[in-house]
Amino acid sequence: MLKVKIIAVGSLKEDYLRAAVAEYKKRLGAYCELTLTELREAKLPDKPSESEIAAALSAEGAKISAEIPQKSTLVTLCIEGKECSSEDFSAFIDDVRMRTGNLCLVIGSSYGLSAQLKAKSDLRLSFSKMTFPHQLARVMLLEQLYRAMNISTGGKYHK
């Protein structure tokens, strides 16, 4: 069975988002072994400088790197990443299942991810050129994972 680990910086603050995450985790149980790891965001002042942001991203990157399973395919979510269709994402996951059997997806803080971490990734993925609330990214990722795995099995969820 495919092992999927999601590493997310920050915790969900809204009950409705936590409920959506719980629902998709339950649904994904039929398709993969899913773990979700939340890491604490680095503390920053209200108006951080570029160097303070860079230092925070570097510190978060080190914590994230320590959580990435060995021999896993690494996907980082970032605005400059590649956009793909649900079908393409499904094909990517099928390929990961065949090659390594381990997928690790990373959602950074609201400031993103360090350049070093993005450079290590096998795929930089972007949901859209549009801006979404940072807290919603985890739900969107889980929904797309569920959709992709449902596509792979010929399910009816994706029409």
Side-chain angles (χ1 to χ4, degrees):
M1 182 174 270
L2 177 68
K3 291 183 180 180
V4 177
K5 181 171 187 175
I6 296 174
I7 302 170
V9 177
S11 59
L12 296 178
K13 294 170 179 48
E14 304 294 338
D15 288 339
Y16 70 93
L17 294 172
R18 286 193 294 272
V21 165
E23 177 62 25
Y24 282 112
K25 283 176 69 175
K26 181 176 78 173
R27 291 181 186 191
L28 282 162
Y31 300 102
C32 66
E33 183 182 312
L34 177 69
T35 57
L36 193 123
T37 301
E38 289 183 347
L39 300 176
R40 185 170 290 196
E41 258 184 288
K43 296 263 187 211
L44 284 169
D46 287 340
K47 294 185 179 182
S49 68
E50 289 297 317
S51 63
E52 288 171 321
I53 292 170
L57 292 179
S58 180
E60 290 170 356
K63 289 180 188 175
I64 291 166
S65 292
E67 292 289 336
I68 298 170
Q70 290 188 353
K71 298 181 182 173
S72 62
T73 300
L74 178 62
V75 176
T76 52
L77 274 68
C78 41
I79 197 152
E80 73 278 9
K82 176 184 176 184
E83 293 178 30
C84 65
S85 69
S86 296
E87 293 85 358
D88 291 342
F89 190 49
S90 179
F92 173 79
I93 291 171
D94 285 343
D95 183 59
V96 170
R97 184 181 287 113
M98 299 298 278
R99 284 187 300 107
T100 66
N102 292 293
L103 177 63
C104 182
L105 302 117
V106 178
I107 302 170
S109 70
S110 59
Y111 287 101
L113 295 165
S114 70
Q116 298 88 346
L117 186 62
K118 289 189 273 188
K120 289 197 290 188
S121 64
D122 297 292
L123 172 65
R124 293 181 192 184
L125 182 65
S126 174
F127 288 135
S128 169
K129 292 185 188 308
M130 299 173 96
T131 302
F132 297 100
H134 180 69
Q135 293 279 308
L136 193 54
R138 197 170 316 171
V139 176
M140 292 172 64
L141 177 60
L142 287 165
E143 191 282 334
Q144 284 301 302
L145 279 169
Y146 177 68
R147 182 177 298 275
M149 292 183 189
N150 198 267
I151 289 169
S152 290
T153 60
K156 295 179 181 177
Y157 181 76
H158 180 73
K159 298 175 186 170

